Amino acid sequence: MGDVACCNFVRDVSVGFEPFDDEPVLDSLFEQYGRVIVQSMITSFGLDFLIADRHGGDVDTIYNVRKIGSDEKMTYKNMSNQAAYDNRGEYDSHSYHSHFGYKEKNAEVSSAKKDGKLIDEYTGERIQGNEKSDLDHIISAKEIHEDRGRVLSGVRGEDLANSSENLSPTNPRTNRTKKASSMKEFLEKYGDEYTDEQKKAMLAKDSYARKSYEAKINRAYYTSKQFRNDTLKAAGQVGARMGLRQALGLVFTELWFAVQDEFEHLKASNSFNLENFLQAVGNGVKAGLSNAKVKYKELFSKFLEGSIAGVLSSLMTTLCNIFFTTARNVVRVIRQSWASITEAAKILFVNPDNYLLGERLRAVVKVLATGASVVAGTLVAEALGNVGLKALPAGLGEIVTSFCGAFVSGILSCTFLYYLDRSETINKLVRWLDNLPSVEKDLLYYKRQVEIFERYAAQLMEIDLEQFKRETAAFNELAGQLTAATSSQQLNQLLLQGMRKAGITMPWEKTHGSFDGFMQDTSAVLRFS
């Protein structure tokens, strides 16, 4: 979801899920199921429209543009690339065959034929000086001219077609029968005219020419300014949108649970009507927005995490599309994977919550496990769409597939979280890791001490020093009098005077007048206030 899932609810759902031993385990578990499913729907599924994954990614690649026409979902991502292809012009045989490279190679062939050294590079047979010969474009000039990948690279077709690797002297029969066909197509039709060794040699020549051709256009395009700019632009856009999705996911989640709390209060009051219902919604929205504002640091952190994950996922998607086409669900899986990896890396290396080693590793595993659950939900939603559910009318198909995906993600992630929190084996391992001596453990101890001293200092700053001095002087005076007392009667009198001066009311005075009267009342209860 794919990518803290995506949304990034991955870390959120793993925080604070530790059911008390004396509460019903299933109640706690299913309560957490509900929370995860809601967050999943809001973020990974509900806000996925912000990113709008595209078949084949967001950057044109040579591999992908060649599939335009055969793959109905494939389109140009940059309209200037489509314009360049549309304006490539008609194939002109004369311009290809009058190229200086073609003329140079032809001169070499003529010279070798005169010297009796010309070999047909397809058949391996010698071409005599009195025999006719042709110079064949191994990859036909027309194929090169029409190649979308070649046009994308910006390299002139005439230069590529007439490179030494793509020109081969052969007999007129082979050249003029082959025409604009590929070597494979040609041999499928006329292969019986050649021996197995000759066909093997012809295919080898074709393979070598194509490797050289691909290397040239790949180098030209993937090192070009245009590809770099398109890649950076796409990464920036996906990063910004995913950062926005993560931040909005947190805001909407706060809104949802604030409204849910208002509904619980309304239910408890037994005063349901339309006015109270609308008021509860309004109060919930206000409370949710207030909660989100208080968490502005977390909002920024979510945006930053989402942006980083979005940039990395976009770069990886582009890299993948150089070699194969990524479908929309694959793009979402890549994005969600990077979202989980980014969050896990933050916990592992930054450790913002100051976890000890064991707890830190458990938190990392939670993030990765929940991310994997989200990916599974994405695949389930995609699979349901492929079997025809998306064709349901009135948008019902999209709702059903999204809900099923979110439901699967919620169930799997909660199950993982419950196991990681409640498994005795996991807890033993965590405790063992936490107890390992480490510099980090010492640093964590001193950080906590600093926090305690900071709180204590803050409390001291709030003390009224003059009042504190007066109270201290009064206690010192009383302590001196008590020390100097010579009898229990005098000590008792001093204590009573001290309590009255401190404003402490004797528990028997309001109801019985004297202590003796209070003690004689068997129903009396001694309470100090």
Side-chain angles (χ1 to χ4, degrees):
M1 281 187 236
D3 270 85
V4 174
C6 250
C7 90
N8 202 334
F9 78 93
V10 172
R11 180 162 173 260
D12 294 339
V13 298
S14 66
V15 174
F17 177 49
E18 295 182 0
F20 295 107
D21 291 334
D22 58 349
E23 70 176 318
V25 172
L26 286 179
D27 289 351
S28 176
L29 184 60
F30 281 104
E31 181 180 349
Q32 189 69 2
Y33 279 174
R35 182 177 182 87
V36 174
I37 291 172
V38 168
Q39 289 181 329
S40 173
M41 289 292 290
I42 290 175
T43 51
S44 294
F45 289 92
L47 295 175
D48 251 1
F49 70 92
L50 291 173
I51 300 179
D53 299 315
R54 303 173 71 182
H55 184 71
D58 297 307
V59 179
D60 287 320
T61 64
I62 291 172
Y63 182 87
N64 280 346
V65 297
R66 284 173 170 166
K67 300 189 74 174
I68 295 175
S70 60
D71 184 343
E72 61 181 14
K73 297 179 181 179
M74 188 63 68
T75 59
Y76 278 103
K77 309 306 186 292
N78 186 331
M79 291 300 100
S80 65
N81 294 331
Q82 180 173 347
Y85 184 76
D86 292 341
N87 297 324
R88 69 192 182 283
E90 295 294 328
Y91 168 66
D92 182 3
S93 176
H94 177 72
S95 66
Y96 278 85
H97 289 84
S98 60
H99 187 269
F100 72 91
Y102 187 84
K103 291 180 178 180
E104 279 189 357
K105 186 67 174 180
N106 232 346
E108 292 177 13
V109 169
S110 296
S111 177
K113 187 163 64 170
K114 284 181 182 180
D115 296 337
K117 297 179 180 178
L118 182 62
I119 301 297
D120 186 326
E121 294 185 0
Y122 287 156
T123 65
E125 298 171 352
R126 186 179 298 276
I127 300 177
Q128 301 299 326
N130 60 349
E131 291 184 283
K132 291 183 178 180
S133 65
D134 278 355
L135 189 59
D136 181 49
H137 290 104
I138 301 174
I139 307 173
S140 73
K142 182 172 175 53
E143 179 183 343
I144 290 175
H145 183 79
E146 301 294 340
D147 181 19
R148 291 179 185 270
R150 192 275 306 170
V151 177
L152 185 66
S153 72
V155 182
R156 292 181 70 241
E158 291 87 347
D159 295 337
L160 291 168
N162 294 295
S163 64
S164 60
E165 300 91 346
N166 195 53
L167 292 172
S168 179
T170 187
N171 61 81
R173 164 66 181 170
T174 299
N175 177 52
R176 297 173 193 185
T177 307
K178 180 172 173 285
K179 296 182 179 179
S181 301
S182 68
M183 189 65 73
K184 182 178 179 182
E185 292 170 341
F186 170 68
L187 290 177
E188 286 176 353
K189 291 182 179 180
Y190 302 101
D192 56 351
E193 297 182 14
Y194 305 91
T195 67
D196 289 342
E197 286 299 318
Q198 288 174 338
K199 287 187 285 187
K200 184 177 179 181
M202 295 165 78
L203 290 172
K205 287 286 291 184
D206 181 78
S207 176
Y208 178 75
R210 291 184 182 277
K211 286 180 181 178
S212 176
Y213 173 77
E214 295 296 333
K216 289 176 182 177
I217 63 173
N218 283 332
R219 183 166 56 250
Y221 179 61
Y222 294 123
T223 60
S224 68
K225 181 179 180 181
Q226 178 184 335
F227 177 73
R228 182 181 70 246
N229 290 344
D230 286 352
T231 300
L232 293 178
K233 181 181 178 181
Q237 289 178 343
V238 174
R241 290 171 184 169
M242 192 162 174
L244 178 62
R245 189 188 71 168
Q246 302 298 82
L248 286 178
L250 177 62
V251 172
F252 289 151
T253 301
E254 291 296 332
L255 289 175
W256 169 260
F257 287 110
V259 171
Q260 189 180 54
D261 288 341
E262 289 296 325
F263 285 167
E264 291 295 328
H265 296 155
L266 183 61
K267 179 181 177 182
S269 67
N270 292 320
S271 59
F272 179 83
N273 56 51
L274 181 59
E275 181 181 355
N276 291 340
F277 173 80
L278 295 177
Q279 185 177 6
V281 172
N283 292 339
V285 171
K286 291 179 182 178
L289 291 175
S290 298
N291 294 339
K293 288 179 181 178
V294 171
K295 297 181 178 181
Y296 69 94
K297 291 183 178 178
E298 188 174 351
L299 279 171
F300 177 76
S301 177
K302 288 288 183 186
F303 180 84
L304 184 60
E305 290 171 16
S307 297
I308 294 173
V311 168
L312 293 174
S313 66
S314 178
L315 293 176
M316 185 172 182
T317 300
T318 301
L319 179 62
C320 290
N321 278 289
I322 293 175
F323 305 102
F324 61 89
T325 298
T326 56
R328 285 184 61 192
N329 64 314
V330 175
V331 175
R332 294 180 68 188
V333 167
I334 292 173
R335 189 178 66 244
Q336 178 51 39
S337 299
W338 273 110
S340 301
I341 291 171
T342 302
E343 180 65 20
K346 177 183 175 182
I347 295 172
L348 188 61
F349 299 112
V350 180
N351 194 16
D353 296 313
N354 296 321
Y355 291 132
L356 293 176
L357 178 60
E359 286 297 341
R360 191 178 354 157
L361 293 178
R362 171 151 55 186
V364 168
V365 173
K366 283 182 179 181
V367 168
L368 296 178
T370 311
S373 302
V374 175
V375 169
T378 300
L379 296 178
V380 167
E382 184 71 19
L384 292 175
N386 290 336
V387 298
L389 282 184
K390 284 188 178 180
L392 293 175
L396 185 61
E398 190 70 30
I399 295 173
V400 171
T401 55
S402 295
F403 175 79
C404 290
F407 184 78
V408 169
S409 296
I411 295 296
L412 288 177
S413 55
C414 283
T415 302
F416 282 133
L417 295 177
Y418 181 75
Y419 173 76
L420 291 170
D421 276 327
R422 304 286 292 192
S423 169
E424 184 59 31
T425 301
I426 297 295
N427 287 331
K428 285 182 179 179
L429 179 60
V430 168
R431 287 193 293 269
W432 181 78
L433 291 171
D434 283 346
N435 289 326
L436 290 177
S438 65
V439 174
E440 186 177 61
K441 190 173 182 180
D442 294 336
L443 289 175
L444 180 59
Y445 169 79
Y446 288 114
K447 282 182 181 179
R448 289 174 176 170
Q449 298 307 307
V450 169
E451 291 174 359
I452 293 172
F453 283 126
E454 286 178 347
R455 288 197 298 270
Y456 183 62
Q459 292 171 355
L460 289 178
M461 291 296 291
E462 296 175 359
I463 293 176
D464 185 338
L465 291 180
E466 294 301 322
Q467 178 67 20
F468 180 72
K469 289 179 181 179
R470 290 193 295 270
E471 292 177 353
T472 302
F475 283 122
N476 285 335
E477 181 183 359
L478 179 59
Q481 293 173 349
L482 293 175
T483 302
T486 58
S487 66
S488 59
Q489 185 177 2
Q490 184 182 8
L491 182 63
N492 185 53
Q493 188 65 30
L494 288 172
L495 286 172
L496 287 173
Q497 291 175 359
M499 293 180 71
R500 289 194 176 94
K501 186 180 286 188
I504 301 174
T505 303
M506 298 297 102
W508 58 81
E509 290 181 344
K510 291 183 179 180
T511 56
H512 296 80
S514 67
F515 181 71
D516 290 339
F518 175 83
M519 293 300 293
Q520 291 173 3
D521 184 355
T522 57
S523 63
V525 178
L526 185 65
R527 291 191 181 93
F528 287 90
S529 60

